[in-house]
Amino acid sequence: MSRGRRALHDRHTANPASFRDPSNWGDGYELAIEVGSTKDAQLQTLLSALWRAAGVRGCFGRREGEPDEQDEVPCTVASLTEHTHLLGQVRLPTGQLTVCGCTAVRGGDDSSDWLDFYIPTGALDNAGIAYGDGRPFFRSAVIDDWLAGIAMETFQQVPFSMGLVGWMVSGGADASTLAGEMPTKRGMGYLLPRGGVLHYGAANT
């Protein structure tokens, strides 16, 4: 088998839900949420709501072992601080089960916290999800809309300042600068609350 044919074969036989497979990891395709607070209690409430809304299976601190080879960890800010990333498995809108993760970027005294839920691009590749090179970010309309739906459900339980959807988008904009105004040209998806309702503007450039 040629190298090219072997690579194609490996991609189609890889399991996108496997923790141990290094090809499942890499950069994150994200739902990045600006929490609007730096308090652990607010971050915890949002983390719990997001995990439920996404339907994540399990909560783990290591990717060196499969879910049935390690003990679960609590889905808490304390676990997130200890392990840096919380990992699980989630079913994509196309039906495939893949690995997923979540991490937090703490703002300290200068800005609010961010909570980033992501599917690694390696897992998207192994699940056969097509995402194009849309400037300035890679883009998948299917995954964008799915992540936006998770944000909408999360927001109904726990309001937040804003959200961004796309490849490596965390911190790409902030609520104070946008002041509730949806950008006309969008290289990533925007989720902005207005009047108690979360509005989604899909990427359009």
Side-chain angles (χ1 to χ4, degrees):
M1 182 183 294
S2 70
R3 183 176 180 181
R5 287 175 60 84
R6 182 181 297 276
L8 183 62
H9 173 77
D10 289 345
R11 173 180 172 181
H12 286 296
T13 56
N15 176 8
S18 171
F19 278 29
R20 283 187 180 275
D21 187 345
S23 73
N24 279 334
W25 303 97
D27 295 338
Y29 206 105
E30 299 175 334
L31 163 60
I33 296 175
E34 187 179 9
V35 181
S37 169
T38 58
K39 296 179 179 179
D40 282 1
Q42 181 69 10
L43 185 61
Q44 178 62 65
T45 304
L46 186 61
L47 172 62
S48 298
L50 176 62
W51 219 250
R52 288 192 301 268
V56 181
R57 300 185 181 184
C59 184
F60 303 93
R62 298 183 301 109
R63 70 186 198 189
E64 293 79 16
E66 298 295 350
D68 60 356
E69 298 172 344
Q70 58 178 307
D71 293 331
E72 289 197 42
V73 300
C75 187
T76 62
V77 173
S79 293
L80 200 54
T81 301
E82 179 182 354
H83 298 285
T84 308
H85 294 256
L86 296 180
L87 309 174
Q89 296 171 319
V90 69
R91 194 163 298 282
L92 300 179
T94 50
Q96 295 94 333
L97 190 68
T98 73
V99 297
C100 65
C102 187
T103 190
V105 179
R106 307 306 298 263
D109 296 332
D110 297 329
S111 60
S112 63
D113 293 342
W114 286 79
L115 188 64
D116 300 340
F117 174 74
Y118 62 88
I119 311 299
T121 50
L124 292 178
D125 285 338
N126 288 333
I129 302 297
Y131 53 97
D133 189 7
R135 303 300 182 192
F137 301 109
F138 297 116
R139 183 176 304 146
S140 165
V142 170
I143 302 301
D144 282 359
D145 291 347
W146 173 65
L147 290 173
I150 293 172
M152 296 283 188
E153 186 172 340
T154 301
F155 186 83
Q156 290 179 0
Q157 302 174 54
V158 184
F160 49 80
S161 293
M162 67 165 291
L164 300 172
V165 170
W167 177 72
M168 301 289 286
V169 295
S170 182
D174 63 86
S176 61
T177 301
L178 292 173
E181 294 297 324
M182 186 76 68
T184 303
K185 295 182 178 180
R186 300 180 294 273
M188 52 189 169
Y190 285 77
L191 293 140
L192 291 178
R194 189 168 57 249
V197 177
L198 190 64
H199 297 268
Y200 175 48
N204 61 9
T205 63

